[in-house]
């Protein structure tokens, strides 16, 4: 590279770093005057004024009245309007693809979703295209881009879903494909890892060194946050606990192995047990019916003994795997999210009890295992939060 080009590249990098620093300072602590920003960032006032001028031109920063005068002219204050940009977050689940448009404070402004009929790779692709396009069309403000949370092994650097067992996707170029479709920047992240970032940003958890978020739905995966940063692991596979072998029953798993945690403790496994019981247990309230999640949940809440037996039994292997993670990571804060969390305290207390029995008592008694606080949009919010950090250098926070 010729020296002048190298110099220019460095200059552009510095300028971009300064822009992100000034934007972040105003976003987190605004309204602030230009002098406040210069003090907080240790940049010169000239640099701050130049950068602010650009940010105002881009619509990311706005002037917001004047602050108290310290003798001279009252300073003009700056802020980042929460509607300066919008972001799209999408949850690619095995049963449904759902997405939201949010503003820079994480307020949900538009929702869209489509149910998937079966494990059909093409159908899931089409649904993702359709939802992405619908959300792009529905956005009212300039979009930062699209954050996609998908199950399985993800190569975030290239936006590729390397293997999503439940969707039957292998080496799926989701990121480049959606960029081609919408013209927007796209990041693709693991759904459980996205959920972990959302719980970290919005869940108001105690500030432990480590937090583990376990998503229990059609599949099972965990996201690990260490020191405030997502720990992806080598090959981005950290937290892929769903295919840990926990049972000798040899129930085949969709990954090709058998006895995996997903065959004992996922929503899919629980519904399949319940459907079996509906065929074999004469006199059961749900006998002879096609058992849906809603029907099983209702029976469970009504104290139906068969529903309780099926659901609570599924919690045992999950508890054991969490117990192993307590020992491996020494983490104290475990958060359960996803559709199985709807079974609430009775299910949670079996998971908790079994996790504590499966770890060194001194570690186990200090571990907290509870249900997440961010609700149904957890993956969408987390994927959008990760996009916001990578594109604007800003952190979504409650
Ligand atoms: Zn498996």
């Amino acid at each position: 590279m010729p020296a002048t080009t190298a110099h220019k590249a460095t200059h552009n990098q510095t300028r971009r770093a300064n822009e992100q620093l000034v934007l972040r300072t105003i976003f987190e602590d605004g309204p602030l005057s230009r002098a406040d920003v210069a003090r907080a960032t240790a940049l010169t006032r000239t640099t701050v004024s130049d950068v602010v001028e650009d940010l105002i031109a881009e619509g990311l920063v706005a002037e917001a009245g004047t602050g108290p005068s310290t003798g001279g002219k009252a300073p003009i204050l700056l802020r980042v309007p929460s509607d300066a940009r919008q972001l799209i977050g999408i949850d690619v689940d095995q049963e449904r693809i759902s997405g939201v448009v949010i503003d820079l404070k994480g307020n949900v402004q538009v929702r869209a979703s489509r149910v998937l009929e079966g494990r059909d790779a093409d159908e899931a692709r089409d649904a993702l295209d359709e939802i992405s396009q619908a959300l792009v069309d529905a956005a009212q403000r300039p979009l930062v881009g699209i954050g996609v949370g998908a199950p399985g092994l993800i190569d975030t650097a290239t936006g590729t879903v390397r293997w999503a067992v439940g969707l039957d996707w292998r080496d799926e170029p989701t990121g480049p494909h959606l960029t081609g479709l919408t013209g927007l920047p796209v990041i693709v992240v693991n759904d459980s890892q996205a959920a972990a970032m959302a719980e970290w940003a919005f869940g108001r958890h105690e500030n432990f060194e480590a937090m583990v978020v376990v998503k229990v739905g059609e599949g099972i995966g965990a996201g690990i946050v260490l020191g405030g940063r997502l720990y992806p692991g080598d090959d981005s596979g950290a937290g892929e606990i769903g295919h840990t072998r926990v049972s000798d029953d040899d129930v085949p798993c969709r990954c090709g192995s058998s006895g995996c945690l997903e065959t004992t403790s996922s929503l899919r496994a629980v519904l399949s047990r319940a459907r079996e019981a509906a065929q074999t247990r004469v006199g059961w309230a749900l006998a002879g019916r096609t058992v849906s999640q809603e029907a099983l949940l209702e029976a469970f809440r009504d104290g139906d003994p068969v529903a309780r037996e099926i659901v609570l039994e599924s919690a045992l292997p999950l508890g054991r795997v969490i117990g192993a993670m307590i020992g491996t990571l020494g983490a104290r804060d475990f958060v359960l999210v996803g559709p199985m969390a709807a079974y609430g305290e009775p299910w949670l207390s079996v998971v908790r009890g079994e996790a504590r029995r499966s770890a060194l008592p001194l570690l186990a008694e200090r571990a907290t295992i509870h249900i997440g606080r961010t609700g149904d949009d957890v993956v969408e919010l987390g994927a959008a939060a990760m996009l916001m950090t990578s594109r604007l250098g800003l952190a979504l926070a409650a």
Side-chain angles (χ1 to χ4, degrees):
M1 194 187 312
T4 47
T5 319
H7 175 75
K8 205 170 165 201
T10 316
H11 177 79
N12 285 343
Q13 272 170 15
T14 310
R15 190 161 179 99
R16 187 173 147 78
N18 287 345
E19 261 196 37
Q20 290 207 345
L21 179 60
V22 168
L23 182 64
R24 187 166 69 236
T25 305
I26 300 170
F27 182 71
E28 286 173 1
D29 302 322
L32 294 174
S33 70
R34 287 167 174 82
D36 295 334
V37 175
R39 259 191 302 277
T41 58
L43 295 170
T44 67
R45 291 191 59 163
T46 319
T47 304
V48 169
S49 290
D50 283 354
V51 168
V52 164
E53 199 176 318
D54 287 352
L55 290 171
I56 289 176
E58 291 169 45
L60 278 164
V61 164
E63 294 187 338
T66 52
S69 161
T70 47
K73 213 172 110 206
I76 294 166
L77 297 180
L78 304 165
R79 66 186 183 94
V80 177
S82 58
D83 66 351
R85 291 287 187 279
Q86 288 181 325
L87 305 107
I88 292 175
I90 299 182
D91 178 8
V92 180
D93 190 54
Q94 302 166 28
E95 291 270 288
R96 172 195 302 271
I97 296 196
S98 37
V100 296
V101 177
I102 62 169
D103 67 13
L104 293 178
K105 296 283 182 200
N107 301 305
V108 174
Q109 286 158 335
V110 183
R111 279 175 208 280
S113 73
R114 196 177 123 179
V115 173
L116 300 176
E117 299 300 334
R119 187 189 179 209
D120 180 334
D122 282 330
E123 188 202 2
R125 265 182 218 114
D126 290 348
L128 177 59
D129 285 0
E130 185 189 307
I131 293 296
S132 304
Q133 195 59 60
L135 292 170
V136 169
D137 293 343
Q140 305 98 339
R141 308 286 302 152
L143 283 162
V144 177
I146 304 177
V148 178
L153 289 175
I154 313 290
D155 182 353
T156 295
T158 61
T160 311
V161 179
R162 289 174 47 214
W163 192 18
V165 171
L167 295 164
D168 201 15
W169 280 5
R170 267 181 196 268
D171 293 320
E172 186 73 22
T174 303
H177 170 76
L178 287 182
T179 294
L181 184 74
T182 63
L184 291 168
V186 175
I187 75 164
V188 185
V189 296
N190 172 274
D191 59 350
S192 301
Q193 296 182 353
M197 285 317 285
E199 280 292 328
W200 182 265
F202 296 107
R204 294 184 204 91
H205 296 278
E206 280 185 73
N207 225 346
F208 292 131
E209 174 65 20
M211 185 180 79
V212 179
V213 175
V214 182
K215 184 170 180 261
V216 193
E218 286 286 309
I220 300 177
I224 302 163
V225 179
L226 294 177
R229 296 169 64 96
L230 189 71
Y231 173 69
D234 296 327
D235 301 317
S236 324
E240 271 299 306
I241 56 174
H243 301 282
T244 301
R245 187 175 161 91
V246 295
S247 158
D248 289 327
D249 286 348
D250 285 333
V251 176
C253 179
R254 292 177 299 171
C255 71
S257 179
S258 64
C260 298
L261 184 62
E262 288 191 2
T263 69
T264 63
S265 306
S266 64
L267 175 62
R268 163 176 294 268
V270 166
L271 284 178
S272 133
R273 298 268 141 77
R275 281 166 192 158
E276 221 176 272
Q279 301 297 318
T280 55
R281 298 226 189 172
V282 184
W284 184 33
L286 300 178
R289 288 172 51 186
T290 319
V291 183
S292 65
Q293 153 82 334
E294 291 72 25
L296 185 66
L297 188 57
E298 202 189 315
F300 180 84
R301 286 179 175 155
D302 289 345
D304 177 279
V306 177
R308 290 182 71 86
E309 180 193 312
I310 291 169
V311 169
L312 299 183
E313 229 171 52
S314 81
L316 291 167
L318 178 63
R320 262 168 244 146
V321 170
I322 290 178
M325 292 178 87
I326 293 175
T328 311
L329 295 167
R332 277 200 215 163
D333 196 14
F334 286 80
V335 184
L336 302 177
V337 300
M340 282 302 292
Y343 292 93
E345 194 54 42
W347 172 77
L348 178 65
S349 68
V350 175
V351 174
R352 196 185 273 143
E354 194 63 14
R356 294 211 169 129
R357 266 190 293 281
S358 315
L360 190 67
L362 191 62
L363 287 174
E365 69 200 23
R366 297 171 69 171
T368 62
I369 303 173
H370 50 100
I371 286 174
R373 304 193 175 112
T374 36
D376 290 344
D377 298 325
V378 64
V379 173
E380 292 92 321
L381 286 175
M386 290 167 82
L387 172 77
M388 188 155 144
T389 304
S390 82
R391 299 297 303 181
L392 299 177
L394 302 181
L396 265 181

